[in-house]
Amino acid sequence: APIGDGTASKSGKSTLLNALTQMKTPTGSHGFTTIEPVIGMMRVQGTNVQLVELPAIVHGSSIGKANGPQIISVARNADALALVVNGRNATKDVYTLTEELRKFKIILNRSMPAIEVKQNPFGGIQVDGKQFLKMPVEQLMNFLKSAGYAHCHFTARENVTMEKLVQALDAGIQYKKAVCIAWGALPPTGELGKAFRGPVHAFKDLTDANAPEELRGPLFNLLDKILVYTKKPGREPDMKAPMVLNSNNTVEDLAVQ
């Protein structure tokens, strides 16, 4: 279950990858030290989590700058993302990263809109959940017709803006969990939290021995997995080789496996 490490240049992602995986990836104070994806394995409570450090994502990456499309394509294949930023420009970098990812149809820490559009075999447009519409019904129906849904059953289960409607009809959008890892001389408290709508983990220095240990749990939790430790009768539990299950699995599912 890979976690992509997406970030701006000179953010410290190679330093972080080394700390989490015991690798010896080259680091440097100059930008673009990482020129291709680097893979490492992070140990978490007896199991491995694959981390992929990506080259820098910069303003314009989504339209081709600095090999952006190739880099962001790797992020689309990740199960979750960690954005690494540092210094006083951390807030600006977070905005840049999230916007470039959004332009490439990756939306962070949001769920797919609770909007359903199905073909209506009886013809016409049927609308359920009108109380959630933040637009006139006529505007909704005109949009659906222009999008090729002249005969459909539209159901809304949450507030519907035009932005959410467009997202709901776009099957190419991916919704991913993400955390922000910030370090160094950061902006005032709360500023990063407004820029990044999700968990922010801040450190003075990524070389601090406590940083990787504090991050292993939150990074693993992004994957929606649980660890199950087995025990044979009359023996102590085996804490070295847990079974990894999806968070919605049960012990019965484990027994079937």
Side-chain angles (χ1 to χ4, degrees):
I3 296 177
D5 178 2
T7 150
S9 179
K10 296 191 295 185
S11 63
K13 59 185 182 296
S14 296
T15 299
L16 179 61
L17 182 70
N18 289 341
L20 289 168
T21 65
Q22 306 303 310
M23 292 179 62
K24 302 295 182 183
T25 304
T27 62
S29 59
H30 56 285
F32 300 97
T33 302
T34 303
I35 58 175
E36 60 183 20
V38 179
I39 298 174
M41 301 301 292
M42 176 181 69
R43 292 291 291 175
V44 181
Q45 299 180 44
T47 193
N48 288 326
V49 175
Q50 185 184 80
L51 302 181
V52 182
E53 178 193 352
L54 303 181
I57 296 173
V58 299
H59 179 70
S61 284
S62 59
I63 56 174
K65 186 175 181 180
N67 294 321
Q70 295 91 327
I71 295 169
I72 301 178
S73 291
V74 178
R76 284 182 65 87
N77 290 323
D79 292 299
L81 295 173
L83 309 188
V84 184
V85 295
N86 75 336
R88 295 294 180 183
N89 290 326
T91 301
K92 178 182 177 182
D93 287 343
V94 165
Y95 278 120
T96 297
L97 288 166
T98 54
E99 182 63 10
E100 293 301 316
L101 291 170
R102 185 194 65 79
K103 289 178 180 178
F104 221 74
K105 298 188 177 183
I106 300 175
I107 298 179
L108 305 181
N109 296 325
R110 290 290 182 273
S111 299
M112 182 183 297
I115 299 170
E116 186 177 56
V117 181
K118 293 183 177 180
Q119 291 297 326
N120 184 0
F122 302 105
I125 298 177
Q126 178 183 344
V127 179
D128 290 338
K130 294 180 181 179
Q131 69 273 24
F132 294 113
L133 297 181
K134 299 301 179 182
M135 66 190 78
V137 174
E138 183 179 357
Q139 182 182 355
L140 168 67
M141 297 179 72
N142 288 336
F143 178 84
L144 290 172
K145 290 176 183 177
S146 68
Y149 295 92
H151 304 286
C152 69
H153 184 184
F154 175 91
T155 304
R157 298 184 180 88
E158 66 174 50
N159 290 338
V160 179
T161 62
M162 185 56 67
E163 180 183 15
K164 286 187 177 181
L165 179 58
V166 172
Q167 291 175 0
L169 296 180
D170 190 339
I173 292 179
Q174 293 187 351
Y175 300 86
K176 295 185 182 294
K177 286 189 175 183
V179 297
C180 176
I181 301 170
W183 67 282
L186 299 172
T189 303
E191 188 174 306
L192 267 178
K194 293 179 181 179
F196 182 76
R197 297 178 179 179
V200 176
H201 301 274
F203 302 93
K204 290 184 178 180
D205 194 331
L206 289 179
T207 60
D208 185 335
N210 292 326
E213 299 312 313
E214 291 181 21
L215 288 171
R216 293 182 198 277
L219 289 174
F220 179 80
N221 291 339
L222 289 173
L223 302 175
D224 285 330
K225 304 289 184 181
I226 57 175
L227 300 179
V228 179
Y229 299 89
T230 58
K231 178 182 181 300
K232 293 183 179 180
R235 297 186 182 181
E236 293 296 319
D238 181 2
M239 305 302 291
K240 295 182 179 180
M243 303 290 290
V244 182
L245 301 179
N246 293 325
S247 59
N248 59 351
N249 285 153
T250 65
V251 175
E252 183 178 356
D253 296 324
L254 176 60
V256 171
Q257 291 184 14

